[in-house]
């Protein structure tokens, strides 16, 4: 009986210690759009620069083009999806994502609109461009300190990292979306409600 009691007590002590050392994972916060709603997989959003009325878009050729900045009215919608298969339709902070431009003409032509990083000698470095492959071109959305519903986009390489870090912050470099040491807060505007806001928010 004493042995049994000792084993039970030992198990309870181990369980308490394990719970203290290895707390349950905290579920990441949902990414929120400018209206305070959760950003969802498959929905269409304009990625806007929080400090002015410029938005992420592609060059005029759209297919096989770099990700650049243009006036908000010319922004090209994007769609987010988890880089790892998930049944959760909500996009969460700090999770690996695929990012696609919503360009039906490119998809009909068999051209990938998914974002990736590529070395561009004319831009003197790496830039975000299209032509990516699902799961191999991971991006991440993290909370930007200093404002509500403001976020930072980052690229998270799987191999051949371009810096000694797990993820590389992205910003505006010569009018292109590219790795940058300068923080660049963005917002997410659902396309079906983009006409209902006064965009200059800061």
């Amino acid at each position: 009986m004493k042995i049994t009691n000792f084993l039970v007590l030992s198990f309870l002590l181990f369980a308490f210690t394990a719970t203290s050392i290895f707390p349950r994972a905290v579920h990441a916060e949902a990414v929120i759009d400018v209206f305070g709603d959760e950003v969802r997989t498959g929905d269409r959003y304009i990625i806007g620069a929080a400090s002015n009325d410029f938005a992420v878009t592609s060059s005029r050729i759209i297919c096989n083009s770099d990700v650049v900045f243009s006036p908000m009215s010319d922004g090209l919608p994007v769609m987010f999806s988890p880089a790892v298969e998930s049944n959760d339709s909500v996009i969460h902070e700090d999770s690996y994502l695929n990012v696609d431009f919503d360009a039906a003409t490119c998809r009909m032509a068999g051209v990938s609109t998914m974002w990736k990083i590529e070395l561009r000698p004319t831009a003197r470095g790496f830039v975000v461009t299209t032509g990516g492959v699902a799961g191999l071109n991971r991006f991440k959305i993290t909370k930007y300190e200093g404002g509500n519903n403001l976020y930072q986009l980052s690229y998270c390489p799987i191999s051949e990292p371009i810096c000694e870090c797990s993820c590389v912050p992205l910003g505006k470099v010569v009018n292109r979306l590219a790795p940058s040491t300068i923080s660049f807060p963005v917002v997410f505007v659902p396309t079906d409600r983009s006409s209902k806001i006064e965009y200059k928010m800061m």
Side-chain angles (χ1 to χ4, degrees):
M1 179 63 70
K2 290 183 179 180
I3 295 177
T4 303
N5 289 339
F6 176 76
L7 290 175
V8 171
L9 180 61
S10 297
F11 174 78
L12 291 174
L13 287 173
F14 173 77
F16 175 78
T17 303
T19 303
S20 302
I21 298 176
F22 306 108
R24 293 181 180 179
V26 178
H27 203 280
E29 294 289 333
V31 176
I32 303 300
D33 66 24
V34 293
F35 294 101
D37 298 322
E38 296 175 338
V39 172
R40 294 188 171 273
T41 300
D43 286 354
R44 301 162 71 243
Y45 297 89
I46 299 293
I47 300 178
S51 59
N52 52 44
D53 60 353
F54 280 84
V56 167
T57 185
S58 69
S59 63
R60 293 181 179 180
I61 302 176
I62 300 180
C63 303
N64 293 322
S65 64
D66 295 343
V67 179
V68 299
F69 290 85
S70 71
M72 182 64 179
S73 58
D74 296 330
L76 187 63
V78 301
M79 296 182 293
F80 302 103
S81 60
V84 178
E85 187 174 349
S86 172
N87 294 324
D88 192 349
S89 62
V90 176
I91 298 299
H92 295 277
E93 297 175 17
D94 299 312
S95 59
Y96 294 129
L97 303 170
N98 300 315
V99 186
D100 284 89
F101 276 130
D102 182 27
T105 53
C106 297
R107 292 195 298 272
M108 291 174 62
V111 178
S112 171
T113 58
M114 185 170 290
W115 288 12
K116 68 176 183 178
I117 285 280
E118 189 170 275
L119 181 62
R120 187 75 75 243
T122 55
R124 299 180 182 179
F126 290 90
V127 300
V128 180
T129 186
T130 55
V133 177
L136 299 181
N137 303 275
R138 305 180 306 178
F139 291 82
K140 184 179 286 189
I141 299 171
T142 54
K143 187 68 176 177
Y144 179 84
E145 297 181 4
N148 294 327
N149 306 342
L150 299 183
Y151 295 92
Q152 171 70 49
L153 292 173
S154 298
Y155 171 71
C156 305
I158 294 179
S159 60
E160 299 182 2
I162 59 180
C163 73
E164 295 182 0
C165 52
S166 57
C167 294
V168 187
L170 300 174
K172 187 178 181 181
V173 180
V174 194
N175 205 45
R176 283 180 167 84
L177 187 64
S180 174
T181 57
I182 301 175
S183 298
F184 191 79
V186 298
V187 294
F188 304 106
V189 184
T191 55
D192 60 347
R193 301 171 69 188
S194 60
S195 61
K196 299 180 181 180
I197 65 170
E198 178 67 25
Y199 185 68
K200 291 191 176 182
M201 290 170 287
M202 293 181 62

